[in-house]
């Protein structure tokens, strides 16, 4: 069974950082000093648990007094990919009560993941750009009805 929840304890946040390290630093060769950044301390971190094991993560940084939110550091452990966990992470973020006032979700998608986000309703805009050596596009889901 997969559960997505806010990572509210130090231990859960450390599990998120460990997954990010495995996926971005080890697998994708992102420099370690870029992977962890100044937004981590104020971000909301989410963890995906499969049968109690942490297997995925994402973070959300609020902007514009909470009207917008940037989703980032979306990562699922390699052996757990392709089972819908990435999709569940994004859906859980969009539905989380703490983010109910967010009208616009933003993210910077790695080029290989554009279709993953497009299938979840995100639209790409602007030119491709390079971040940490990886091609990206900006994407957004705008003007969501707030509850
Ligand atoms: C991108 C990532 C988070 C997706 O997680 P996942 O759990 O494997 O994704 P899901 O199983 O929920 O996939 C949902 C759908 O997207 C598709 N998909 C998943 N990854 C994809 C990719 N990289 N490119 C295109 N489509 C992809 C799946 O085929 C699936 O399609 P379906 O619903 O028609 O079967 C995962 O591949 C990952 O951690 N990659 C390395 C880190 C990374 O690149 N993060 C994104 C940074 S922007």
């Amino acid at each position: 069974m997969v559960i997505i929840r806010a990572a509210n304890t130090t231990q859960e946040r450390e599990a998120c950082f460990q997954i990010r390290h495995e996926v971005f630093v080890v697998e994708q060769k992102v420099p370690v000093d870029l992977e962890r950044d100044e937004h981590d301390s104020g971000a909301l971190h989410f963890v995906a648990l499969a049968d109690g094991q942490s297997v995925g993560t994402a973070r959300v940084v609020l902007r514009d007094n909470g009207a917008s939110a940037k989703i980032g550091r979306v990562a699922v452990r390699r052996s757990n990919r392709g089972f819908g966990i990435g999709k569940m992470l994004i859906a859980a973020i969009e539905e989380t009560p703490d983010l109910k006032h967010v009208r616009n979700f933003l993210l910077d998608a790695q080029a290989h993941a554009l279709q993953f986000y497009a299938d979840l309703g995100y639209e790409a805009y602007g030119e491709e750009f390079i971040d940490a050596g990886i091609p990206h596009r900006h994407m957004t889901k705008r003007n969501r009805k707030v509850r």
Side-chain angles (χ1 to χ4, degrees):
M1 190 179 60
V2 176
I3 295 170
I4 314 286
R5 66 165 184 240
N8 286 327
T9 65
T10 305
Q11 198 183 1
E12 281 184 337
R13 276 193 293 274
E14 284 305 320
C16 295
F17 296 147
Q18 176 59 34
I19 295 168
R20 283 169 40 179
H21 186 86
E22 259 178 57
V23 171
F24 296 116
V25 178
V26 178
E27 181 183 333
Q28 296 192 337
K29 314 288 180 228
V30 171
V32 70
D33 53 330
L34 291 184
E35 201 291 303
R36 292 284 293 274
D37 69 13
E38 71 279 9
H39 299 297
D40 280 323
S41 56
L44 297 173
H45 297 272
F46 290 82
V47 63
L49 301 165
D51 299 328
Q53 300 294 315
S54 43
V55 296
T57 188
R59 77 175 187 191
V60 176
V61 178
L62 289 172
R63 292 181 170 181
D64 311 325
N65 285 329
S68 301
K70 185 163 182 187
I71 299 173
R73 302 302 194 272
V74 181
V76 174
R77 282 202 162 116
R78 193 182 266 232
S79 58
N80 298 94
R81 291 182 198 157
F83 298 110
I85 295 170
K87 211 184 216 176
M88 282 185 247
L89 266 166
I90 303 298
I93 287 170
E94 292 176 358
E95 291 304 314
T96 204
D98 284 353
L99 300 174
K100 68 181 179 190
H101 297 299
V102 172
R103 282 175 60 79
N104 305 312
F105 281 99
L106 314 166
L107 55 87
D108 292 341
Q110 293 185 12
H112 73 86
L114 278 171
Q115 193 59 48
F116 167 73
Y117 293 113
D119 290 347
L120 296 170
Y122 286 78
E123 281 180 49
Y125 65 96
E127 297 291 312
E128 187 172 280
F129 62 95
I130 303 292
D131 185 25
I134 300 170
H136 283 76
R137 298 272 310 275
H138 298 303
M139 297 187 88
T140 182
K141 189 183 266 191
R142 279 190 203 283
N143 297 324
R144 189 172 76 130
K145 272 205 182 114
V146 291
R147 286 162 277 156

